[in-house]
């Protein structure tokens, strides 16, 4: 009977291990497909893990560079360093979750937009024990948002131009004297172009 129980335990253990491996494989595939890098830092042991995608997003081979605070400051966009640093400091002091969008430089020198989602685990005294998070390259989304805003601005400008042309057309088709029409049109054009 003991042998049967041992065989059963080993079989269950192998089945569980296969399920875990399959689950880890699915997670890796999903993270790879979504271009999501994951990282985890145990603050009590100083152990850290950075997934290969964390490096790939920035154009580096896995472990080609050491992910340190100094490296982050070198890669972060100069206009974003200060406000991101402030948010991170506040997060480490009292936060549980932090989500940021900011720019970082890739190995080839170009900047990309990053979505960084972070979570901190604390002990009963609120001391940080572990920090974990994900990073995603959202440059394409940001470019699309910018294009939409520019398109919207162009449409608004075109609409205002059409309204101006309509008003000018109306003024020119009135029975007023030419000088009066001319002054009204010039006044409209001045207002439209912010010129007196």
């Amino acid at each position: 009977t003991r042998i049967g129980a041992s065989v059963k335990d080993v079989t269950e253990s192998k089945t569980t291990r296969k399920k875990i491996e399959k689950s880890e494989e699915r997670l890796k595939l999903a993270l790879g497909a979504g271009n999501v890098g994951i990282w985890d830092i145990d603050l009590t042991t100083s152990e850290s893990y950075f997934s290969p995608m964390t490096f790939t997003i920035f154009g580096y081979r896995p472990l080609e560079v050491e992910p340190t605070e100094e490296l982050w400051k070198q890669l972060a966009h100069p206009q974003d360093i200060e406000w991101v640093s402030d948010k991170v400091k506040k997060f480490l002091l009292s936060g549980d979750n932090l989500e940021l969008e900011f720019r970082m430089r890739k190995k080839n020198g170009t900047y990309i937009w990053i979505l960084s989602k972070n979570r901190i685990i604390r002990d009963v005294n609120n001391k940080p024990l572990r920090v974990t998070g994900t990073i995603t390259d959202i440059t394409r989304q940001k470019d699309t948002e910018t294009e939409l805003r520019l398109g919207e601005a162009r449409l608004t400008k075109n609409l205002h131009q059409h309204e101006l042309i309509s008003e000018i057309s109306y003024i020119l088709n009135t029975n007023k004297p030419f000088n009066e029409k001319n002054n009204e049109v010039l006044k409209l054009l001045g207002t439209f172009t912010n010129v007196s």
Side-chain angles (χ1 to χ4, degrees), residues 55 57-61 64-65 75 105-110:
F55 298 92
I57 287 172
F58 299 106
Y60 293 98
R61 291 184 319 276
E64 181 178 345
V65 291
L75 299 181
R105 191 177 70 243
K106 292 179 67 167
K107 183 179 180 179
N108 67 9
T110 61

Side-chain angles (χ1 to χ4, degrees), residues 38-49 91-92 95-97 118-123 126-133:
I38 60 171
W39 57 272
D40 180 42
I41 301 172
D42 185 327
L43 300 172
T44 58
T45 65
S46 296
E47 272 186 78
S48 62
Y49 169 77
F91 167 65
L92 291 173
D96 291 326
N97 295 293
N118 310 277
R119 183 164 186 262
I120 195 163
I121 299 165
R122 301 175 181 282
D123 66 12
N126 205 36
K127 179 184 173 191
L129 300 174
R130 187 174 180 174
V131 184
T132 186

Side-chain angles (χ1 to χ4, degrees), residues 73-87:
K73 286 182 178 178
Q74 289 173 14
L75 299 181
H77 193 283
Q79 293 175 352
D80 296 344
I81 289 175
E82 190 176 324
W83 74 264
V84 171
S85 293
D86 288 344
K87 294 272 187 185

Side-chain angles (χ1 to χ4, degrees), residues 22 42 63 76 152:
K22 194 75 159 171
D42 185 327
L63 304 176
E152 192 175 295

Side-chain angles (χ1 to χ4, degrees), residues 2 24 32 56 72 77 130 148 186-187 190 192:
R2 289 183 190 208
E24 287 176 355
T56 305
W72 178 84
H77 193 283
R130 187 174 180 174
L148 287 172
L186 289 174
K187 186 176 178 182
F192 184 78

Side-chain angles (χ1 to χ4, degrees), residues 172-190:
L172 293 176
N173 285 314
T174 63
N175 292 330
K176 296 178 181 177
F178 180 76
N179 282 350
E180 197 175 315
K181 289 187 219 183
N182 191 37
N183 286 339
E184 285 184 42
V185 168
L186 289 174
K187 186 176 178 182
L188 277 174
L189 288 171

